[in-house]
Amino acid sequence: MVATAAIVLAAGQGTRMRSRIPKVLHPLAGRPMIEHVLASLAAAGIEHPVVVIGFGADQVEAGLAGRVPTVRQEPQLGTADAVRRGMERVPTEARHVLVTMGDVPLLPAELFQRLLREQAEGEATIALLAASVDDPAGYGRVVRGADGAARAIVEHRGADEATRAGNEVNVGTYCFDATWLRANVGNVPASASGEYYLTDLVEVAAAGGRRVAVVSAPEAGLTIGINDRSAMAQADATLRARIISEHQRNGVTIVDPATTFIDAGVEIGQDARIEPFSILAGSTVIAQDAVIGPRAEIRDCRIGPRTRVWASVVEGSTVAEDVQIGPYSHVRPGCQIGPRCEIGDHAELKNATLGAGTRQHHFSYLGDSEVGERVNIGAGTITANYDGERKHRTVIGDGAFIGVDTLLRAPVTVGAGARTGAGAVVTRDVAPGKTVVGMPARPIELRRRRAELAAERNPQHGGGTPRPDA
Amino acid sequence: MVATAAIVLAAGQGTRMRSRIPKVLHPLAGRPMIEHVLASLAAAGIEHPVVVIGFGADQVEAGLAGRVPTVRQEPQLGTADAVRRGMERVPTEARHVLVTMGDVPLLPAELFQRLLREQAEGEATIALLAASVDDPAGYGRVVRGADGAARAIVEHRGADEATRAGNEVNVGTYCFDATWLRANVGNVPASASGEYYLTDLVEVAAAGGRRVAVVSAPEAGLTIGINDRSAMAQADATLRARIISEHQRNGVTIVDPATTFIDAGVEIGQDARIEPFSILAGSTVIAQDAVIGPRAEIRDCRIGPRTRVWASVVEGSTVAEDVQIGPYSHVRPGCQIGPRCEIGDHAELKNATLGAGTRQHHFSYLGDSEVGERVNIGAGTITANYDGERKHRTVIGDGAFIGVDTLLRAPVTVGAGARTGAGAVVTRDVAPGKTVVGMPARPIELRRRRAELAAERNPQHGGGTPRPDA
Amino acid sequence: MVATAAIVLAAGQGTRMRSRIPKVLHPLAGRPMIEHVLASLAAAGIEHPVVVIGFGADQVEAGLAGRVPTVRQEPQLGTADAVRRGMERVPTEARHVLVTMGDVPLLPAELFQRLLREQAEGEATIALLAASVDDPAGYGRVVRGADGAARAIVEHRGADEATRAGNEVNVGTYCFDATWLRANVGNVPASASGEYYLTDLVEVAAAGGRRVAVVSAPEAGLTIGINDRSAMAQADATLRARIISEHQRNGVTIVDPATTFIDAGVEIGQDARIEPFSILAGSTVIAQDAVIGPRAEIRDCRIGPRTRVWASVVEGSTVAEDVQIGPYSHVRPGCQIGPRCEIGDHAELKNATLGAGTRQHHFSYLGDSEVGERVNIGAGTITANYDGERKHRTVIGDGAFIGVDTLLRAPVTVGAGARTGAGAVVTRDVAPGKTVVGMPARPIELRRRRAELAAERNPQHGGGTPRPDA
């Protein structure tokens, strides 16, 4: 077992981003750019990643949250200097050291592995990654010898005509023999600006008679570096297309890939169907045969088989099978929605549990609630769960019928099979099977008796017995 | 009049789809894939289509719903065997038989007609459709003789270098002389795997001295076969772009074709404007000068001239001219909305009729209702149309003013010109021109007299006369 | 200072648009097509623009609203005739006259300036704009002499083989020496159809020994003419992409340019983030670090730093910093929303002012309202601001707590620190610090006393004291 390390260079500011946020923290497909680099390195089996930080170091450290060692480069004296600092955190047992850029987020694990193999098995001191591009202006050119090995990397501005004619450019990703790197990274000559460039190590190695292998990227698009917001949008699109292709191969229908946004890490079952204008974010799992969208936004949820989420937002919740949600509903975090429930349109839930077959209709809000099975929540029903200081719970039993525009002032319990009249303001618990009406809501028998008594006292007013509201 | 038939091959599973749904039932632009094939055949004037089914035969038969004859291929012994089975259902008077694939959905009627003409008028026994593709690997190559006629179709894996160098490939669509096909489809030799391939008929015909004409598809994109979900998404995009081009030619503004989804069969009038993120589905008709979107979803509706549907869902309803809907409104099936109505924002209707000039505002729900002209429906108004067992109707007369948060417990009628107070719970019919207030709502004169009587009895409480709510 | 003029030709009907609206009034990126032409001319420093109108002249004049002089071409006898009419409105002091088409909307100011320079400084009588296109069929070809100057423009149908082989076509944009143009525009021979073509002036000039310079457009896409709705959609996409690139260069993150619609003239601060499916329209200003979308629609608003607008519509309003809006909320025109407010989900405001830290929750509507700081607006709260005839104002003081489902019948004032019970129907002003409950809402002490009195009279009914609702 040979130990491998990686140094990710993430010290630069990226001035063309015109941002106060460190470049490597800008998100792509739902994750900071650098996380894509670290994920590819992990997938390639690299054991010891180190991130070299500089600009916005506190923010970057906070963003990485201790999941990977960091080292600060201060002052920032070029890429060779950054690697020299990174080597301080690379364990001495590491035999191969990948070096790559934190703002080159699309390199797949396979390319890192190829660099490792070329360096290790090809007996090269360095293996560098090259790309053939249509317009190489501005890039460092890879200069090869007759044997195909690299002799040097020549910056565009220092290149002669013949070298500029080449279109094989340096990506900035290498695998080094660790011992050689440790011994030589400090030997790079300073540039005119006083910085030390990693690219010069290629000439150092070649001049010392060592082999520098070249690995060609299969497509230049994979090697894109994020220098501005436009490149960032392109990389985001590439990542999303890659994610969508994978779901398609797994048997998911994506009606329109161009208007579907799926974060890395989302899981989707076979024969699920994702309609246009939908966003699946965070650690979301969609079961088979679900229909998502159009216009669904789902974040950190589990969605059950055959469930449909239509033109709604669902966050941090678990939704069982055969549920209908939407349109224009909002399931906020902490909900558990049972099988065959109907939510909406225009319904809102927060921190609520709904039993199987419960229906919650239009313009209703259930917050901090436990609702049983087969409950009917009438239109306009609202749980008053907040008294200005604390949140209180509402409990509704199986088979209850909550009339339209019912107001439930928590804490309150409505028993199984109970009914509330339309417009009832429920301020006290309702016993199972009972019907309450009015404001404040009281049992219907009591209301009736009061009305009869009043009629006896004032017979001219008639009054009339209210029927049970529905 | 020469009888023509077509055999559509739809027996395969399409394993790369990774689906439990038969491939030809997956929808494109709102219709099962095979319906596009059948529609093109119908447009080409083919009289006798037959679909050969196999995998998921019950589902496919259910999907076709008896609109086209089917025959089952069991076991599935290759395309020649499938055509042999299909011929059992082709009427004997048919003189020309088109054969095409159920998963090649973009072929236009014109190409089927060209095949028919080439076969019939060109005195060919077979006319086959060929496409020139950039990457022919994996496809059967069309091998032509010096006279331009086809000699054979050679599968990629059986082809020699010279044949592989060709990029003219077989699409799988043919027109046959019916008599010859009937006589020869059983003469195809079995392959090594025991299957019978239709492509071998080309060599059978050519060897027998018969002419096999080649029709070249004008663009290879039309001949795309759906083998996986990625190809399906591409075909969907192609179909949608085709539909949108047609509307553009008719004088419809599609602000952004890439984010507009219009099903086949939708009709749109001149100078209508479709804004981004909109979906027009089913048998929808949009009148001239309507403004649809952004973010509209309309299914099976008629939308009148100059009407605007903004960020709303409208289903199965008829909307007259000069109506404003949205944002965030939901018109559910069965509604008739009169001229100059205003719906929303955040309004919901179901099975409701609204007269001219009626306004239904925020967070209101009208279900199973007949509403007259020039009615004002206040915010939060809800029809309690469901008592847990049945739905009841609400009737509101012309010029009525329904105060905010009114609850209408159906069955109930509010007369023309009547008013309800804010928060009224209407449980009884309201006479024309009357004002009711309170919970339950009662005529305002009666309330006033009761309050006065109470004040006489308890003078210390004051009380005060409620003004008419609005 | 040399005076410059421009004649914009906008007389044609554009029959392939199939529209009753004059072509140049069709909007692109939120502005009528011709406004883009006029904006480029203004940016190029042209002092005296004139628009020649014909088809739909009244509509075009109304659309231009007097901001630019117009002249009518009636009857429409070709482009030379139109320029002749235009010259009637060009001031005599103008030395250089640009001529361009009202339906060629993507030409940047730089190209107009290059034409001016080429004509003025290159001592040319005419400088014409040419484009190299892949498929020149149908376009007029630029025929050059050995010196590179244009000799003639030859229409496609009149061109010989050699001329048709050329792919350098005439765009229809020129700069003329004003004196020469005035003298010669009437000398163009009539065509067979009786029309006078501006292109013939090139041959007139060249035959007279005058130089006709050719300016080549850097990309043909800039010279696109809008002849049908398809070209219009393409031009719209090009304009939008140009706008988005500019915002990206300024440090704005546009997650997905393809699903983001930003009108010309919108301003966005650094590190703002525009999520997919968003529309920024009109004269909108978004501050730095704001998060807009997904699914936001903002028109004519100022949005403060760090504010998030999520899946909501905001129109004609000012929103301060650190505000949360959405999802499914609608801020209608005339609102001022203070710092740290929370709006929604499912909230609606119109002509309302909210103080700092106020929270307006679900299914609530505030119209014509002044709301103080730190106010809590409960779910379902509705201002009844309309009595069928007039709109009235609602005033709510700092720190008030409006219980869920409160109905506020305007005109009404709720004092600072006051509370309303759940379901209260507030018809009278509430004093500061007081709590009101019931329908109609009355001070809680009064209700309590009445209940006690009733209990004394009818002790068997109990009654119970309502707790303060929340």
Side-chain angles (χ1 to χ4, degrees), chain A residues 300-302 314-320 325 330-338 343 348-354 360 365-369:
Chain A
D300 299 322
C301 289
R302 299 189 74 89
V314 186
E315 307 172 88
S317 292
T318 298
V319 180
I325 297 179
H330 186 194
V331 179
R332 292 163 58 192
C335 293
Q336 306 268 347
I337 298 178
I343 308 294
E348 180 188 355
L349 297 90
K350 187 210 71 176
N351 195 21
T353 301
L354 267 61
Q360 180 192 350
Y365 168 57
L366 295 178
D368 305 307
S369 302

Side-chain angles (χ1 to χ4, degrees), chain B residues 253 270-271 345 461 467 469, chain C residues 18-19 229 330 409 427:
Chain B
T253 291
Q270 194 187 28
D271 281 324
D345 50 31
H461 289 137
R467 294 167 295 173
D469 292 302
Chain C
R18 308 243 359 226
S19 182
R229 310 259 181 173
H330 186 195
R409 205 188 62 196
T427 58

Side-chain angles (χ1 to χ4, degrees), chain C residues 107-160:
Chain C
L107 295 176
E110 294 72 37
L111 271 181
F112 290 131
Q113 289 171 328
R114 274 186 57 198
L115 285 165
L116 272 169
R117 275 201 309 273
E118 279 292 324
Q119 191 266 308
E121 299 168 16
E123 300 188 352
T125 297
I126 310 177
L128 69 82
L129 184 63
S132 293
V133 298
D134 289 341
D135 180 10
Y139 290 93
R141 302 298 197 291
V142 176
V143 178
R144 299 210 200 203
D147 60 350
R151 288 281 172 274
I153 294 167
V154 179
E155 291 306 313
H156 184 77
R157 57 179 174 279
D160 58 22

Side-chain angles (χ1 to χ4, degrees), chain C residues 87-121:
Chain C
M87 285 303 285
E88 297 169 9
R89 297 296 298 269
V90 168
T92 48
E93 72 266 28
R95 301 252 312 264
H96 309 286
V97 180
L98 275 167
V99 173
T100 196
M101 307 297 289
D103 61 356
V104 178
L106 302 186
L107 295 176
E110 294 72 37
L111 271 181
F112 290 131
Q113 289 171 328
R114 274 186 57 198
L115 285 165
L116 272 169
R117 275 201 309 273
E118 279 292 324
Q119 191 266 308
E121 299 168 16

